[in-house]
Structures are given as C-alpha cells and as structure tokens.
Amino acid sequence: MQTTYVMVKPDGVQRGLVGQIITRFESKGLRLVGLKSIIPSRELVEAHYAVHKERPFYDGLVKFVTSGPVVAMAWTGLDAISVSRNIIGATNGREAAMGTIRGDFGMDVGYNLIHGSDGEETAAFELGLWFPEGLNNWVPLRETWVYE
Ligand code: DAT
Ligand code: MG
C-alpha cells in the first residue's frame, strides 16, 4: 500500500470543483486518510515546490498557491501514487486526456486544479510537510470489495 499527497489548488476551490474532485478518488477505491482546507503560508508552498525553485514560473506558482484556500488530502491504496497521477492527468489541461481531472476541467498549465505526488520519496516528503500532525489509520469496510 502507498499513501500519496493530493491537493486541490486555489483555482479548483474557487471554481467549486472540490466535491467532484474528491468523488473521483473516493469512487476509484482509494482510502481518505487526511483532509483539510487551509490557506497555506509562503514558507510551506516554497518548501513544497522547492524542486522548481530555478524555473521561470516558480514565483507565480507560489503566489497562486498561497492566494486562497487549498484542500490538502492524503489517499491510500495499492499503487496510490501512479493511480492518483492517472486520475489527475497531464500537467497542461489542454493536452490532458479526457476523463482525467485536468482533461475534463482545465484549460491551462498554471491553473491546473490539482497536485499529486510524483514518487515515493516525494510523497513521504509532502505528507510530512502538509500533515505534520499525522494521518488517520483506518480501513474502510468497503475495501473488502475493492481488492480481491
Ligand atoms: P505536475 O503538477 O503535473 O507534477 P510539474 O511538477 O512539472 O507538474 O510542475 C508543478 C506545477 O508548476 C504544475 O502543476 C503547474 C506549474 N507549471 C509547470 N510547468 C509550468 C509552465 N511551463 N508554466 C507555468 N506553470 C507551470
Ligand atoms: Mg510535479
């Protein structure tokens, strides 16, 4: 089992898509182990996107993600990291496949609605950063019918 960090960015919250986005992860069969709405600090978002520090879009990205509430989530499941990246879709919404969140709801590379960890190390780092209080340890009864 893996746990991944997923975050609805301010555009997804402002556009009222939080419910539809959560539904996709929930109905796929992933297990929700952390959820909160926060307006993140500049320090938090700078740390989160530290790998992109030298990129030309970094300052705008930090400004955007600190501009309002985000919905921070942690989802657990078999291969939860790649499964979540598939639910999310390619970075640019205009190129993302239909059926993905970005493909269905997005038109932009910057305003692309949602973040998902891209690997095991990144997931551990991001979960520690956004959920220092820890995650909920539970197994939903329905998982009996999610994995054979
Ligand atoms: P992803 O979020 O698909 O993992 P990434 O890690 O390459 O994409 O980039 C992180 C975020 O930075 C991305 O969600 C949106 C923003 N971004 C990436 N490339 C960009 C670009 N060329 N112009 C503007 N924003 C960009
Ligand atoms: Mg990334």
Side-chain angles (χ1 to χ4, degrees):
M1 285 280 180
Q2 286 178 338
T3 301
T4 188
Y5 177 67
V6 172
M7 172 172 69
V8 184
K9 296 180 184 178
D11 55 332
V13 178
Q14 297 282 1
R15 289 178 54 194
L17 297 172
V18 172
Q20 290 186 72
I21 288 172
I22 289 178
T23 296
R24 295 193 176 205
F25 291 86
E26 201 172 38
S27 50
K28 177 68 176 166
L30 289 157
R31 183 197 313 169
L32 185 62
V33 295
L35 175 75
K36 62 187 175 188
S37 164
I38 54 167
I39 301 177
S41 68
R42 188 174 179 89
E43 296 70 50
L44 182 55
V45 174
E46 281 180 349
H48 174 82
Y49 281 122
V51 288
H52 296 305
K53 200 164 176 39
E54 306 307 324
R55 309 283 285 276
F57 58 81
Y58 176 79
D59 285 339
L61 178 62
V62 172
K63 194 171 174 210
F64 161 53
V65 177
T66 55
S67 69
V70 301
V71 175
M73 296 176 277
W75 292 95
T76 296
L78 275 183
D79 299 325
I81 295 168
S82 63
V83 167
S84 296
R85 296 276 294 186
N86 289 338
I87 292 171
I88 289 168
T91 306
N92 185 335
R94 294 194 300 282
E95 291 159 12
M98 297 304 295
T100 66
I101 290 168
R102 287 167 172 169
D104 287 355
F105 300 126
M107 283 292 284
D108 198 48
V109 62
Y111 285 4
N112 65 4
L113 300 156
I114 183 163
H115 166 85
S117 306
D118 64 8
E120 286 194 53
E121 269 182 36
T122 321
F125 169 72
E126 293 173 354
L127 290 167
L129 195 61
W130 292 88
F131 289 100
E133 69 275 29
L135 301 169
N136 298 331
N137 184 20
W138 71 301
V139 181
L141 266 181
R142 70 178 159 88
E143 263 186 34
T144 313
W145 290 100
V146 172
Y147 302 105
E148 188 176 357

